[in-house]
Amino acid sequence: MTTLVVIQARMGSSRLPGKVMMPLAGRPLLQRMVAQVAAARSPFKLTVATTVEPADDPIAALCAAIGVRCFRGHPTDLLDRHYHAAVLAGADIVVKIPSDCPLIDPDVIDRVLAFFRSTEGRYDYVSNLHPATYPDGNDVEVMTIAALEQAFREARRPLEREHTTPFLWDNPGRFRLGNVTWETRLDASMSHRFTVDYREDYDFVKAVYEALSTPQNPIVRLGPILELLAARPDIMAINARYAGVNWYRHHLGELRTVSARETRVPGDTA
């Protein structure tokens, strides 16, 4: 069984353009992200999926420089991009990880993949997001190529094409869904934000890398991050106003399986 991990990346972020090439501890954010994912112990192929737009040429150039496969596809239809990247790689299992998660813990990737593989044939889709419990920015979604192909062929709503997987997880009557919860039994999904969407998010991640990453040990992991934040509330406060903010807030009337409790608007900490 061939497993393909797809890191989706583009330069054209509306809130923080060019974020994937912004520097983190002397390397572009995307390169740090690739290193975090590649540190997982599970066997897989790795592809960065970007667009055919000229603005994304720097992403392709970086991938060539660091020896990572790069697939270039549809600019806005991420479902199309993921599916064709998977077909080209001959994947049986596809893992979706967004490029704005440069603090993703490799052990979390291993844990979600291990669950999927240990239950082989039981699930079409497994993630750690439905419901989410890990700190935001540890997003891992695993699906069979058959499920991804079905979504590719049948999904029609714009949010299903733009976000790749809602056709699967928002249709629990059609697909066999599994979820991996944080082994601590805690829920930090709305209180701890490790993803990069706003300038404050980048400043937060930059502060974490500067505190924890070294040339001898460049990989950052969840445990030390949480210890750092407990000791340095000033770092935790950098992007606190965005804790719990995610794309769900724009689609609460369209998504069947997501409630208002799973998202916030910027600045709302109620």
Side-chain angles (χ1 to χ4, degrees), residues 224-248:
I225 295 173
L226 294 173
E227 292 173 3
L228 172 69
L229 298 181
R232 293 282 307 277
D234 58 309
I235 296 178
M236 181 75 172
I238 292 173
N239 66 343
R241 68 185 296 258
Y242 294 112
V245 174
N246 56 49
W247 66 271
Y248 297 159

Side-chain angles (χ1 to χ4, degrees), residues 171-189:
N171 285 291
R174 295 191 59 184
F175 298 97
R176 299 169 298 168
L177 309 177
N179 190 64
V180 176
T181 57
W182 195 10
E183 59 274 22
T184 62
R185 299 187 180 181
L186 300 174
D187 183 353
S189 61

Side-chain angles (χ1 to χ4, degrees), residues 10-88:
R10 66 188 182 99
M11 295 290 287
S13 168
S14 59
R15 284 171 290 272
L16 193 59
K19 63 185 179 182
V20 296
M21 297 299 289
M22 295 173 74
L24 282 181
R27 298 287 186 271
L29 184 151
L30 180 58
Q31 185 173 350
R32 292 295 183 190
M33 173 81 200
V34 167
Q36 291 287 124
V37 174
R41 296 181 298 275
S42 304
F44 53 74
K45 294 180 179 180
L46 177 61
T47 292
V48 171
T50 191
T51 85
V52 295
E53 295 292 329
D56 290 318
D57 289 351
I59 292 176
L62 174 64
C63 290
I66 63 177
V68 174
R69 297 180 185 89
C70 182
F71 174 83
R72 305 190 72 167
H74 199 287
T76 58
D77 188 336
L78 267 71
L79 182 48
D80 181 286
R81 202 191 310 168
H82 278 82
Y83 174 69
H84 285 103
V87 170
L88 183 64

Side-chain angles (χ1 to χ4, degrees), residues 2-163:
T2 299
T3 299
L4 177 71
V5 174
V6 180
I7 300 175
Q8 63 194 51
R10 66 188 182 99
M11 295 290 287
S13 168
S14 59
R15 284 171 290 272
L16 193 59
K19 63 185 179 182
V20 296
M21 297 299 289
M22 295 173 74
L24 282 181
R27 298 287 186 271
L29 184 151
L30 180 58
Q31 185 173 350
R32 292 295 183 190
M33 173 81 200
V34 167
Q36 291 287 124
V37 174
R41 296 181 298 275
S42 304
F44 53 74
K45 294 180 179 180
L46 177 61
T47 292
V48 171
T50 191
T51 85
V52 295
E53 295 292 329
D56 290 318
D57 289 351
I59 292 176
L62 174 64
C63 290
I66 63 177
V68 174
R69 297 180 185 89
C70 182
F71 174 83
R72 305 190 72 167
H74 199 287
T76 58
D77 188 336
L78 267 71
L79 182 48
D80 181 286
R81 202 191 310 168
H82 278 82
Y83 174 69
H84 285 103
V87 170
L88 183 64
D92 303 292
I93 299 166
V94 183
V95 184
K96 173 184 178 289
I97 299 178
S99 63
D100 53 7
C101 299
L103 296 178
I104 190 168
D105 191 321
D107 295 337
V108 177
I109 299 172
D110 284 328
R111 189 163 184 263
V112 178
L113 270 172
F115 177 83
F116 185 86
R117 288 169 174 157
S118 69
T119 58
E120 184 176 347
R122 191 183 306 174
Y123 297 107
D124 303 306
Y125 169 94
V126 168
S127 77
N128 60 350
L129 298 172
H130 304 288
T133 50
Y134 285 94
D136 188 9
N138 284 277
D139 307 10
V140 183
E141 300 178 81
V142 186
M143 66 216 78
T144 65
I145 187 64
L148 180 61
E149 180 175 6
Q150 190 171 351
F152 167 72
R153 298 195 183 285
E154 297 184 28
R156 294 290 180 267
R157 295 186 294 169
L159 73 91
E160 294 170 338
R161 310 300 306 192
E162 180 185 355
H163 297 286

